[in-house]
Amino acid sequence: MTPFMLRRIRNRLSKKLKSINKMSDKQNAQKSAKIAAGAVVCVESEIRGEVTIGARTVVHPKARIIAEAGPIVIGEGNLIEEQALIINSYPENIAPDSEGVEPKTMTIGINNVFEVGCMSQALKIGDNNVIESKADLGRNMILTSGCIIGACCQVNTCEVIPENTVIFGSGCQRRVQTERPQPQTLQLDFLMKILPNYHHMKKTVKTTSAVTPAKN
Amino acid sequence: MASLLQPDRVLYLVHGEKKIRSSLSTLYFCRYCSELRSLECVSHEVDSHYCPSCLENMPSAEAKLKKNRCANCFDCPCCMHTLSTRATNIPAPLPDDPSKTAMKKAYYLACGFCRWTSRDVGMADKSVASGGWQEPDNPHTQRINKLIEYYQQLAQREKLERDRKKLARRRPYMPLAFSQHTIHVVEKYGLGTRLQRQRPGAPITSLAGLSLKEGEDQKEINIEPAQALDEVEPLPEDYYTRPINLPEVTSLRQRLLQPDFQPAGASQLHPKHKHLLIKRSLRCRKCEHNLSKPEFNPTSIKFKIQLVAVSYIPEVRIMSIPNLRFQKECQVLLTLTNPVESITHVTLVGCEEGDPEDINSTAKVMVPTKELVLAGKDAAADYDELAEPQDFQDDPDVVAFRKSNKIGFFIKVVPQREEDGDVTVSFKIRHDFRNLAAPIRPSEEDDAPTEAIWLTHHVELSLGPLVA
């Protein structure tokens, strides 16, 4: 490669970058996910948009975290398993490019478990919740702490789920349990040791200021 | 199309006390009577009891003693699934040295489906994995037992009196005769005699010894009559104003599964032992032979005797249906499968006018008149490459294809009614059946080892709606 050709390639690349930057003026500057040190995020997972992932969180391959309509902030100690989908999407009746739509941040607390194949659009999830396989959470739900959304339960109401509630069964029956589910520390430690043996990890960002999810 | 293979598409008629039409997969074939039998014309008998989760066998007497419940397994009172035992480590002081603490295992029950745990109702963790869990006692047990004893004695006394009356009237050549009515009286309060079918005239031995006991059992059991109270407990003052805590209210199903207590609050729902299931055997009512007898071992799904209809009667299945139009002739492709290993000859006959069995058909059908020959089922046919294909002269208008023991043939259907609903077609199948169960009589003539008898079955097909 002659230096002349190298210069031409560099010029073309810089022009493309500038045009992309101009298009994304409306959006924020953060394009890649901010992954805290200590988190284990596999390369095969799909993370799009502004996503902040806390320490000791494990994201399995084929998990998808998509921040379309706003940023997603994920706390510490979470376990996001395969084919789980955490998506901050536009509500159905609003077109993506319309003006006046403020991006809302989706916050997820600590020690949550998103089991295989679940989908969560809930804007606020507290601590120690378990969303079991193939569960479906709507956008207007707010989970407090200790809630368990059972397998295949679709919950799409506009409400705050009280603490320690279990939603189970085909009719989404509810009951309250007396103690919250235990944090999966053993499982998290095991995965943090084993996953790097078999997968490549996404690069973590050394954050000097700790990223804490906004608690309202 | 998988919907054409649905079991209720092809129905066979069973001649019994009631005319029952059901698919061949649910029917049995009594090869001693040479007739089809359905579940409603056989007698069901309990073979053995077993627990569905731990698969433990239990003799009937023990099952009755434990009220048909397993001793080890529990049901979640909230969602009725099986509870599993989980262990946690708890620091507990050693018995010798109170200052040191060692990790001891504590066990609790937990449901994997609704996440109920035994700690939710306040049951303490046990130190043994199984056998430590007790169901709470019913406070009325004593009264109930006393009432049961009293009524059992009353039933016995009534039965003896009736027997004495009957004996006095009857002729002396029937010493042990008794009416069928007395058998019902015995069963009225559950004396616990083994259920025996009423065979007219045959003595039941268990009741014969009762006349001997009459002299011994003179104990009178007295019960206090139930007392009616005038005053009832008043309702609590805040009954109407207290807000309802919905998760705490039990559902009707949860309440009625514990008939002893019927708790209204979820914090009083205790787990119950798991109900046992039974294995049943079926018996033909006419010839008293067993049609279906499962194996005794709960882990085995095989049968000692399995006389199902699918393994004796050729099965008709719908393969493809064209668009059915009112009063237009359509060709429907059906398949016939031969379940036995010998060659079977099948003749199809349409139903005549005014056939009493033909009540459901809404279309005229023209079946092939020639006899169809089905090859025997050869289990090794897949592996035997040198086998010569048998040469059957098939009329291509009638037989569409032939594949080992299966044959595809056409029937012509002319729908007669224009209303909504399925087009139903019925015809009769006549096939030869070789009874391998019949005893081989030493015959001096050179007869065929087994003679074939001809059986006729009435078949109804549901072909789907008309296309406009």
Side-chain angles (χ1 to χ4, degrees):
Chain A
M1 292 269 248
T2 61
F4 173 65
M5 281 180 69
L6 279 174
R7 213 183 306 139
R8 271 180 73 184
I9 291 169
R10 207 189 314 138
N11 283 343
R12 263 193 229 136
L13 276 175
S14 63
K15 272 191 205 155
K16 278 204 184 128
L17 271 175
K18 273 189 207 157
S19 61
I20 289 174
N21 276 338
K22 276 189 200 151
M23 281 192 320
S24 68
D25 261 345
K26 285 186 196 166
Q27 303 164 19
N28 282 333
Q30 177 194 355
K31 291 303 285 176
S32 63
K34 253 198 231 162
I35 304 175
V40 172
V41 180
C42 297
V43 143
E44 292 92 344
S45 64
E46 180 186 337
I47 303 189
R48 273 197 269 146
E50 295 171 50
V51 177
T52 314
I53 299 184
R56 293 194 71 236
T57 297
V58 175
V59 179
H60 282 238
K62 293 298 176 191
R64 294 162 62 203
I65 308 178
I66 299 176
E68 274 180 351
I72 297 182
V73 177
I74 301 183
E76 306 188 352
N78 293 305
L79 176 57
I80 302 172
E81 294 189 357
E82 285 88 346
Q83 299 194 357
L85 171 60
I86 302 178
I87 179 167
N88 187 355
S89 64
Y90 294 101
E92 281 174 8
N93 50 353
I94 299 181
D97 288 331
S98 58
E99 304 284 341
V101 181
E102 285 184 15
K104 289 194 197 164
T105 310
M106 176 190 279
T107 32
I108 296 179
I110 61 177
N111 288 333
N112 297 304
V113 176
F114 292 83
E115 286 192 14
V116 175
C118 69
M119 162 147 107
S120 162
Q121 292 179 322
L123 280 179
K124 223 196 286 185
I125 297 182
D127 313 328
N128 288 317
N129 299 304
V130 175
I131 302 177
E132 286 189 6
S133 303
K134 297 235 175 197
D136 211 329
L137 277 184
R139 187 175 169 84
N140 297 317
M141 304 277 300
I142 296 178
L143 294 184
T144 47
S145 50
C147 303
I148 300 186
I149 316 288
C152 270
C153 288
Q154 291 179 343
V155 223
N156 209 344
T157 50
C158 180
E159 65 172 310
V160 177
I161 309 253
E163 291 202 4
N164 291 341
T165 309
V166 179
I167 299 181
F168 65 97
S170 56
C172 289
Q173 303 159 349
R174 297 191 184 188
R175 51 171 288 273
V176 178
Q177 49 176 120
T178 48
E179 51 187 28
R180 46 171 57 182
Q182 295 165 345
Q184 305 273 19
T185 34
L186 270 178
Q187 174 87 331
L188 280 173
D189 288 338
F190 177 73
L191 285 171
M192 282 169 40
K193 263 188 282 174
I194 294 284
L195 271 179
N197 289 346
Y198 298 97
H199 296 275
H200 293 287
M201 299 294 136
K202 290 205 178 170
K203 284 218 174 118
T204 59
V205 169
K206 282 189 195 153
T207 49
T208 46
S209 60
V211 180
T212 49
K215 285 201 174 100
N216 280 345
Chain B
M1 286 178 29
S3 60
L4 291 177
L5 295 174
Q6 291 296 315
D8 47 351
R9 284 293 190 124
V10 179
L11 302 176
Y12 283 68
L13 177 67
V14 176
H15 300 268
E17 290 161 8
K18 289 184 267 181
K19 306 271 182 214
I20 295 174
R21 287 166 169 75
S22 77
S23 79
L24 201 65
S25 50
T26 57
L27 295 177
Y28 295 85
F29 181 71
C30 181
R31 60 183 181 180
Y32 305 92
C33 311
S34 298
E35 273 177 21
L36 280 174
R37 297 264 177 259
S38 81
L39 276 179
E40 298 194 23
C41 40
V42 294
S43 62
H44 302 236
E45 295 163 2
V46 170
D47 227 21
S48 59
H49 298 265
Y50 68 98
C51 170
S53 70
C54 64
L55 292 179
E56 183 200 335
N57 218 324
M58 218 183 270
S60 311
E62 194 185 334
K64 191 148 184 197
L65 200 62
K66 295 194 182 156
K67 309 213 171 143
N68 290 333
R69 304 251 174 196
C70 176
N72 306 324
C73 309
F74 286 90
D75 270 343
C76 173
C78 187
C79 65
M80 294 93 198
H81 279 230
T82 315
L83 289 176
S84 49
T85 313
R86 298 216 187 130
T88 54
N89 281 324
I90 286 187
L94 280 174
D96 330 326
D97 205 347
S99 55
K100 290 191 203 157
T101 56
M103 300 302 278
K104 249 170 62 164
K105 287 224 166 191
Y107 299 94
Y108 63 98
L109 294 171
C111 172
F113 188 60
C114 69
R115 310 269 179 149
W116 181 93
T117 62
S118 57
R119 294 169 178 167
D120 285 352
V121 282
M123 289 168 76
D125 295 349
K126 302 278 184 273
S127 50
V128 279
S130 61
W133 305 99
Q134 303 289 334
E135 281 185 27
D137 282 329
N138 187 359
H140 306 292
T141 323
Q142 271 198 349
R143 169 88 175 149
I144 293 178
N145 282 341
K146 214 171 170 202
L147 284 171
I148 291 179
E149 275 178 31
Y150 174 72
Y151 279 108
Q152 277 182 357
Q153 208 197 36
L154 195 63
Q156 248 189 19
R157 223 182 288 158
E158 279 182 13
K159 192 204 85 67
L160 283 176
E161 280 177 23
R162 273 210 188 91
D163 270 354
R164 229 177 282 140
K165 278 189 208 161
K166 299 278 176 174
L167 277 174
R169 273 191 244 147
R170 282 193 196 273
R171 305 285 175 267
Y173 61 77
M174 277 206 274
L176 279 175
F178 40 79
S179 64
Q180 289 181 353
H181 181 54
T182 53
I183 299 177
H184 281 297
V185 172
V186 163
E187 299 292 338
K188 194 159 126 189
Y189 296 117
L191 260 189
T193 55
R194 276 195 54 211
L195 179 70
Q196 304 202 3
R197 283 177 303 114
Q198 294 142 17
R199 277 169 259 185
I204 294 185
T205 46
S206 61
L207 294 181
L210 272 177
S211 48
L212 298 169
K213 275 198 208 162
E214 203 192 311
E216 304 165 4
D217 194 12
Q218 289 293 340
K219 272 187 287 183
E220 287 273 330
I221 301 178
N222 283 323
I223 50 164
E224 299 161 5
Q227 285 174 348
L229 292 170
D230 262 344
E231 290 177 8
V232 188
E233 254 180 48
L235 287 175
E237 278 176 7
D238 59 348
Y239 198 73
Y240 292 108
T241 51
R242 186 178 52 200
I244 295 181
N245 182 11
L246 259 184
E248 176 69 13
V249 178
T250 51
S251 74
L252 262 185
R253 185 155 183 241
Q254 290 167 349
R255 231 179 270 195
L256 296 176
L257 277 177
Q258 309 210 356
D260 299 351
F261 304 99
Q262 295 181 32
S267 50
Q268 278 126 42
L269 281 176
H270 288 266
K272 276 212 148 230
H273 285 281
K274 206 165 179 64
H275 232 298
L276 298 177
L277 297 181
I278 57 162
K279 284 201 169 191
R280 68 171 172 193
S281 57
L282 302 170
R283 195 184 284 272
C284 174
R285 284 204 184 134
K286 286 194 194 151
C287 62
E288 306 285 341
H289 278 105
N290 256 330
L291 292 178
S292 158
K293 198 171 166 74
E295 280 200 12
F296 189 69
N297 192 359
T299 53
S300 162
I301 57 168
K302 296 192 188 166
F303 289 84
K304 286 185 200 158
I305 302 174
Q306 193 183 19
L307 298 180
V308 281
V310 202
S311 43
Y312 292 96
I313 311 282
E315 190 178 359
V316 175
R317 277 191 171 182
I318 307 176
M319 186 146 171
S320 78
I321 307 178
N323 288 329
L324 298 165
R325 288 175 212 282
F326 177 56
Q327 298 257 337
K328 297 233 169 38
E329 192 180 88
C330 332
Q331 247 192 8
V332 177
L333 179 59
L334 303 177
T335 57
L336 250 185
T337 316
N338 179 16
V340 293
E341 286 170 355
S342 53
I343 293 185
T344 312
H345 305 267
V346 179
T347 320
L348 301 166
V349 176
C351 288
E352 292 159 21
E353 293 285 328
D355 194 348
E357 295 165 355
D358 186 11
I359 45 176
N360 280 335
S361 67
T362 59
K364 261 199 266 185
V365 62
M366 268 75 79
V367 290
T369 45
K370 285 196 212 160
E371 191 182 67
L372 301 167
V373 183
L374 296 173
K377 183 160 118 176
D378 191 4
D382 288 342
Y383 308 103
D384 198 0
E385 292 155 0
L386 297 175
E388 292 168 11
Q390 293 168 302
D391 196 17
F392 298 98
Q393 311 285 350
D394 286 333
D395 184 359
D397 285 336
V398 167
V399 175
F401 65 89
R402 182 181 285 274
K403 188 179 168 192
S404 65
N405 63 333
K406 206 196 304 195
I407 182 177
F409 64 99
F410 294 107
I411 59 170
K412 296 189 174 55
V413 173
V414 182
Q416 297 292 312
R417 279 188 223 167
E418 206 175 1
E419 66 214 2
D420 285 335
D422 285 348
V423 174
T424 328
V425 147
S426 49
F427 52 85
K428 298 206 196 299
I429 283 191
R430 193 167 166 263
H431 69 102
D432 58 345
F433 167 65
R434 284 185 171 73
N435 194 354
L436 300 166
I440 301 175
R441 288 179 227 101
S443 54
E444 282 116 22
E445 318 144 10
D446 35 2
D447 248 345
T450 45
E451 286 178 13
I453 54 175
W454 289 86
L455 299 173
T456 310
H457 307 286
H458 177 91
V459 180
E460 285 182 9
L461 304 169
S462 159
L463 295 176
L466 285 171
V467 168

